[in-house]
Short mmCIF file of all heavy atoms in Angstrom, two decimals:
data_model
loop_
_atom_site.label_atom_id
_atom_site.label_comp_id
_atom_site.label_asym_id
_atom_site.label_seq_id
_atom_site.Cartn_x
_atom_site.Cartn_y
_atom_site.Cartn_z
N ILE A 147 105.77 112.67 96.95
CA ILE A 147 106.11 111.50 97.82
C ILE A 147 105.04 110.36 97.50
O ILE A 147 103.86 110.62 97.56
CB ILE A 147 106.04 111.95 99.25
CG1 ILE A 147 106.84 113.17 99.47
CG2 ILE A 147 106.60 110.66 100.14
CD1 ILE A 147 106.92 113.63 100.96
N THR A 149 104.81 105.71 96.89
CA THR A 149 105.54 104.36 96.94
C THR A 149 105.84 103.90 95.49
O THR A 149 106.72 103.05 95.34
CB THR A 149 104.60 103.33 97.46
OG1 THR A 149 103.35 103.42 96.84
CG2 THR A 149 104.36 103.51 98.98
N ARG A 164 110.81 108.56 97.50
CA ARG A 164 110.08 107.25 97.35
C ARG A 164 109.98 106.54 98.65
O ARG A 164 111.03 106.47 99.39
CB ARG A 164 110.74 106.38 96.27
CG ARG A 164 109.96 105.12 96.08
CD ARG A 164 110.54 104.18 95.08
NE ARG A 164 109.89 102.90 95.11
CZ ARG A 164 110.40 101.78 94.59
NH1 ARG A 164 111.63 101.79 94.08
NH2 ARG A 164 109.67 100.68 94.68
N VAL A 165 108.82 106.23 99.14
CA VAL A 165 108.66 105.49 100.39
C VAL A 165 108.67 104.00 100.14
O VAL A 165 107.87 103.45 99.32
CB VAL A 165 107.34 105.85 101.06
CG1 VAL A 165 107.11 104.89 102.31
CG2 VAL A 165 107.52 107.32 101.53
N GLY A 166 109.55 103.24 100.63
CA GLY A 166 109.72 101.81 100.45
C GLY A 166 110.57 101.61 99.16
O GLY A 166 110.42 102.39 98.30
N ILE A 172 103.11 98.22 98.23
CA ILE A 172 102.91 98.04 99.68
C ILE A 172 101.48 98.04 99.98
O ILE A 172 100.78 99.11 99.76
CB ILE A 172 103.64 99.01 100.52
CG1 ILE A 172 105.13 99.21 100.08
CG2 ILE A 172 103.51 98.74 102.07
CD1 ILE A 172 105.85 100.42 100.71
N THR A 173 100.88 96.94 100.45
CA THR A 173 99.40 96.91 100.65
C THR A 173 99.08 96.92 102.18
O THR A 173 98.01 97.11 102.56
CB THR A 173 98.76 95.64 100.07
OG1 THR A 173 99.55 94.55 100.44
CG2 THR A 173 98.73 95.82 98.56
N ASP A 174 100.16 96.74 103.05
CA ASP A 174 99.93 96.75 104.45
C ASP A 174 100.15 98.16 105.03
O ASP A 174 101.27 98.70 104.87
CB ASP A 174 100.85 95.73 105.07
CG ASP A 174 100.82 95.59 106.48
OD1 ASP A 174 100.00 94.88 106.99
OD2 ASP A 174 101.56 96.29 107.24
N SER A 175 99.04 98.61 105.64
CA SER A 175 99.21 100.03 106.05
C SER A 175 100.27 100.23 107.25
O SER A 175 100.89 101.28 107.33
CB SER A 175 97.73 100.57 106.53
OG SER A 175 97.35 99.76 107.55
N LYS A 176 100.36 99.23 108.12
CA LYS A 176 101.38 99.40 109.15
C LYS A 176 102.81 99.49 108.53
O LYS A 176 103.62 100.26 108.96
CB LYS A 176 101.32 98.19 110.13
CG LYS A 176 100.17 98.25 111.13
CD LYS A 176 100.34 97.39 112.36
CE LYS A 176 99.17 97.44 113.25
NZ LYS A 176 98.31 96.29 113.20
N LEU A 177 103.14 98.48 107.70
CA LEU A 177 104.35 98.49 106.95
C LEU A 177 104.63 99.81 106.23
O LEU A 177 105.70 100.38 106.27
CB LEU A 177 104.38 97.25 105.90
CG LEU A 177 105.77 97.21 105.18
CD1 LEU A 177 106.84 96.86 106.05
CD2 LEU A 177 105.57 96.09 104.11
N LEU A 178 103.61 100.31 105.71
CA LEU A 178 103.78 101.54 104.97
C LEU A 178 104.15 102.70 105.94
O LEU A 178 105.06 103.49 105.63
CB LEU A 178 102.32 101.95 104.28
CG LEU A 178 102.20 102.95 103.21
CD1 LEU A 178 102.07 104.36 103.77
CD2 LEU A 178 103.29 102.93 102.21
N ARG A 179 103.54 102.73 107.12
CA ARG A 179 103.86 103.78 108.05
C ARG A 179 105.28 103.60 108.49
O ARG A 179 105.96 104.61 108.61
CB ARG A 179 102.93 103.76 109.24
CG ARG A 179 101.65 104.56 109.07
CD ARG A 179 100.98 104.93 110.35
NE ARG A 179 100.54 103.79 111.08
CZ ARG A 179 99.41 103.04 110.84
NH1 ARG A 179 98.65 103.49 109.89
NH2 ARG A 179 99.12 101.98 111.48
N VAL A 180 105.72 102.42 108.76
CA VAL A 180 107.14 102.08 109.19
C VAL A 180 108.10 102.60 108.01
O VAL A 180 109.10 103.34 108.33
CB VAL A 180 107.34 100.61 109.39
CG1 VAL A 180 108.82 100.40 109.57
CG2 VAL A 180 106.51 100.12 110.65
N GLN A 181 107.73 102.46 106.77
CA GLN A 181 108.54 102.78 105.68
C GLN A 181 108.61 104.36 105.47
O GLN A 181 109.56 104.94 105.17
CB GLN A 181 108.24 101.97 104.44
CG GLN A 181 108.43 100.53 104.71
CD GLN A 181 108.63 99.77 103.49
OE1 GLN A 181 108.14 99.99 102.46
NE2 GLN A 181 109.49 98.77 103.54
N ALA A 182 107.46 104.98 105.72
CA ALA A 182 107.29 106.37 105.63
C ALA A 182 108.18 107.05 106.69
O ALA A 182 108.87 108.02 106.52
CB ALA A 182 105.84 106.81 105.74
N LYS A 183 108.11 106.37 107.96
CA LYS A 183 108.98 106.99 108.98
C LYS A 183 110.34 106.85 108.68
O LYS A 183 111.15 107.74 108.96
CB LYS A 183 108.72 106.22 110.37
CG LYS A 183 107.44 106.79 111.01
CD LYS A 183 107.16 106.18 112.36
CE LYS A 183 105.86 106.82 112.98
NZ LYS A 183 105.28 105.97 113.92
N ALA A 184 110.78 105.73 108.08
CA ALA A 184 112.16 105.55 107.64
C ALA A 184 112.66 106.60 106.68
O ALA A 184 113.75 106.87 106.48
CB ALA A 184 112.32 104.09 107.11
N ALA A 185 111.72 107.16 105.96
CA ALA A 185 111.99 108.13 104.90
C ALA A 185 111.94 109.58 105.44
O ALA A 185 112.08 110.52 104.65
CB ALA A 185 111.09 108.10 103.76
N GLN A 186 111.75 109.68 106.83
CA GLN A 186 111.42 111.03 107.30
C GLN A 186 112.56 112.01 107.24
O GLN A 186 112.34 113.12 106.88
CB GLN A 186 111.04 110.88 108.85
CG GLN A 186 109.83 111.70 109.18
CD GLN A 186 109.37 111.49 110.61
OE1 GLN A 186 109.93 110.86 111.39
NE2 GLN A 186 108.17 112.15 110.84
N SER A 187 113.73 111.56 107.39
CA SER A 187 114.92 112.54 107.22
C SER A 187 115.04 113.02 105.70
O SER A 187 115.30 114.14 105.39
CB SER A 187 116.21 112.04 107.80
OG SER A 187 116.74 111.01 106.96
N ILE A 189 112.42 113.22 103.79
CA ILE A 189 111.25 114.10 103.62
C ILE A 189 111.64 115.51 104.18
O ILE A 189 111.47 116.55 103.53
CB ILE A 189 110.01 113.62 104.34
CG1 ILE A 189 109.55 112.24 103.65
CG2 ILE A 189 108.95 114.64 104.38
CD1 ILE A 189 108.49 111.58 104.24
N GLY A 207 93.36 105.39 99.79
CA GLY A 207 94.27 104.35 99.52
C GLY A 207 95.38 104.11 100.50
O GLY A 207 95.04 104.47 101.78
N ASN A 208 96.42 103.51 100.17
CA ASN A 208 97.41 103.15 101.22
C ASN A 208 98.43 104.24 101.26
O ASN A 208 98.68 104.75 102.50
CB ASN A 208 98.10 101.85 100.80
CG ASN A 208 98.46 101.00 101.99
OD1 ASN A 208 97.92 101.29 103.10
ND2 ASN A 208 99.05 99.90 101.84
N ALA A 209 99.11 104.65 100.17
CA ALA A 209 100.21 105.54 100.23
C ALA A 209 99.87 106.91 100.87
O ALA A 209 100.44 107.26 101.87
CB ALA A 209 100.77 105.72 98.83
N GLY A 210 98.95 107.65 100.19
CA GLY A 210 98.62 109.06 100.74
C GLY A 210 98.30 109.04 102.14
O GLY A 210 98.67 109.87 102.95
N THR A 211 97.34 108.12 102.51
CA THR A 211 96.72 108.03 103.86
C THR A 211 97.85 107.80 104.91
O THR A 211 97.94 108.30 105.98
CB THR A 211 95.70 106.98 104.01
OG1 THR A 211 94.81 107.10 102.86
CG2 THR A 211 94.84 107.16 105.24
N GLY A 212 98.78 106.86 104.53
CA GLY A 212 99.98 106.54 105.48
C GLY A 212 101.05 107.62 105.49
O GLY A 212 101.60 107.84 106.48
N ILE A 213 101.43 108.17 104.32
CA ILE A 213 102.52 109.05 104.25
C ILE A 213 102.08 110.56 104.86
O ILE A 213 102.87 111.16 105.47
CB ILE A 213 102.95 109.16 102.83
CG1 ILE A 213 103.55 107.87 102.29
CG2 ILE A 213 103.95 110.31 102.67
CD1 ILE A 213 103.82 107.81 100.78
N ALA A 214 100.93 111.01 104.41
CA ALA A 214 100.61 112.43 104.75
C ALA A 214 100.85 112.82 106.36
O ALA A 214 101.49 113.76 106.66
CB ALA A 214 99.23 112.77 104.35
N PRO A 215 100.32 111.90 107.26
CA PRO A 215 100.57 112.25 108.70
C PRO A 215 102.09 112.32 108.99
O PRO A 215 102.47 113.07 109.84
CB PRO A 215 99.90 111.17 109.47
CG PRO A 215 98.88 110.68 108.52
CD PRO A 215 99.48 110.71 107.18
N ILE A 216 102.84 111.42 108.34
CA ILE A 216 104.33 111.48 108.64
C ILE A 216 104.95 112.72 108.12
O ILE A 216 105.87 113.33 108.70
CB ILE A 216 104.95 110.25 107.96
CG1 ILE A 216 104.22 108.90 108.37
CG2 ILE A 216 106.41 110.09 108.16
CD1 ILE A 216 104.45 108.48 109.76
N VAL A 217 104.39 113.29 106.91
CA VAL A 217 104.98 114.46 106.35
C VAL A 217 104.59 115.61 107.36
O VAL A 217 105.25 116.46 107.56
CB VAL A 217 104.35 114.72 104.98
CG1 VAL A 217 104.76 116.10 104.43
CG2 VAL A 217 104.79 113.72 103.99
N ASP A 219 104.26 115.44 110.47
CA ASP A 219 105.18 115.42 111.64
C ASP A 219 106.54 116.05 111.27
O ASP A 219 107.14 116.80 112.02
CB ASP A 219 105.35 113.99 112.14
CG ASP A 219 104.13 113.35 112.94
OD1 ASP A 219 103.36 114.23 113.39
OD2 ASP A 219 104.10 112.15 113.02
N ARG A 242 84.48 101.24 102.80
CA ARG A 242 85.84 100.92 103.31
C ARG A 242 86.85 102.09 102.97
O ARG A 242 87.55 102.52 103.84
CB ARG A 242 86.36 99.59 102.89
CG ARG A 242 87.76 99.29 103.47
CD ARG A 242 88.07 97.77 103.68
NE ARG A 242 89.55 97.59 103.80
CZ ARG A 242 90.15 98.11 105.09
NH1 ARG A 242 89.27 98.40 106.04
NH2 ARG A 242 91.37 97.82 105.24
N GLN A 245 86.11 105.04 104.82
CA GLN A 245 86.47 104.93 106.29
C GLN A 245 87.94 105.30 106.48
O GLN A 245 88.43 105.93 107.36
CB GLN A 245 86.15 103.66 106.87
CG GLN A 245 84.63 103.53 107.37
CD GLN A 245 84.34 102.10 107.64
OE1 GLN A 245 85.07 101.17 107.48
NE2 GLN A 245 82.96 101.92 108.03
N ILE A 246 88.79 104.61 105.51
CA ILE A 246 90.24 104.84 105.69
C ILE A 246 90.53 106.25 105.48
O ILE A 246 91.29 106.85 106.18
CB ILE A 246 90.89 103.97 104.55
CG1 ILE A 246 90.73 102.43 104.99
CG2 ILE A 246 92.31 104.32 104.38
CD1 ILE A 246 91.20 101.49 103.76
N ALA A 247 89.89 106.94 104.49
CA ALA A 247 90.12 108.32 104.22
C ALA A 247 89.80 109.24 105.43
O ALA A 247 90.53 110.12 105.88
CB ALA A 247 89.31 108.77 102.97
N ALA A 249 89.66 108.42 108.65
CA ALA A 249 90.61 108.21 109.56
C ALA A 249 91.87 108.87 109.33
O ALA A 249 92.48 109.54 110.13
CB ALA A 249 90.91 106.68 109.83
N GLY A 250 92.31 108.92 108.11
CA GLY A 250 93.49 109.68 107.56
C GLY A 250 93.33 111.15 107.78
O GLY A 250 94.29 111.81 108.20
N LEU A 251 92.13 111.64 107.42
CA LEU A 251 91.88 113.08 107.52
C LEU A 251 91.87 113.45 109.02
O LEU A 251 92.55 114.41 109.32
CB LEU A 251 90.54 113.38 106.91
CG LEU A 251 90.18 114.91 107.02
CD1 LEU A 251 91.10 115.74 106.24
CD2 LEU A 251 88.64 114.97 106.44
N SER A 253 93.65 112.07 111.29
CA SER A 253 94.97 111.92 111.75
C SER A 253 95.82 113.21 111.27
O SER A 253 96.67 113.73 112.04
CB SER A 253 95.60 110.62 111.20
OG SER A 253 96.91 110.51 111.21
N ILE A 254 95.52 113.61 110.10
CA ILE A 254 96.15 114.85 109.49
C ILE A 254 95.69 116.05 110.26
O ILE A 254 96.62 116.92 110.73
CB ILE A 254 95.95 115.07 108.07
CG1 ILE A 254 96.52 113.88 107.19
CG2 ILE A 254 96.39 116.42 107.58
CD1 ILE A 254 96.00 113.84 105.82
N ARG A 256 94.63 116.42 113.28
CA ARG A 256 95.19 116.49 114.59
C ARG A 256 96.66 117.06 114.68
O ARG A 256 96.98 117.60 115.66
CB ARG A 256 95.29 115.05 115.29
CG ARG A 256 93.96 114.57 115.79
CD ARG A 256 94.34 113.46 116.90
NE ARG A 256 95.03 112.35 116.24
CZ ARG A 256 94.44 111.37 115.68
NH1 ARG A 256 93.01 111.31 115.54
NH2 ARG A 256 95.02 110.33 114.98
N ARG A 257 97.28 116.93 113.55
CA ARG A 257 98.72 117.34 113.49
C ARG A 257 98.98 118.69 112.99
O ARG A 257 100.15 119.25 113.10
CB ARG A 257 99.59 116.34 112.64
CG ARG A 257 99.62 114.98 113.27
CD ARG A 257 100.15 113.94 112.22
NE ARG A 257 100.83 112.88 112.85
CZ ARG A 257 100.20 111.75 113.27
NH1 ARG A 257 98.76 111.70 113.11
NH2 ARG A 257 100.83 110.83 113.81
#
Side-chain angles (χ1 to χ4, degrees):
I147 312 181
T149 49
R164 185 176 170 203
V165 167
I172 307 170
T173 50
D174 180 84
S175 58
K176 279 200 186 110
L177 178 61
L178 195 276
R179 271 200 299 278
V180 169
Q181 299 203 321
K183 277 187 184 153
Q186 225 174 9
S187 74
I189 294 171
N208 219 7
T211 317
I213 293 168
I216 307 286
V217 176
D219 285 341
R242 178 156 167 71
Q245 274 170 1
I246 292 170
L251 181 62
S253 163
I254 294 167
R256 272 201 305 276
R257 290 170 158 85

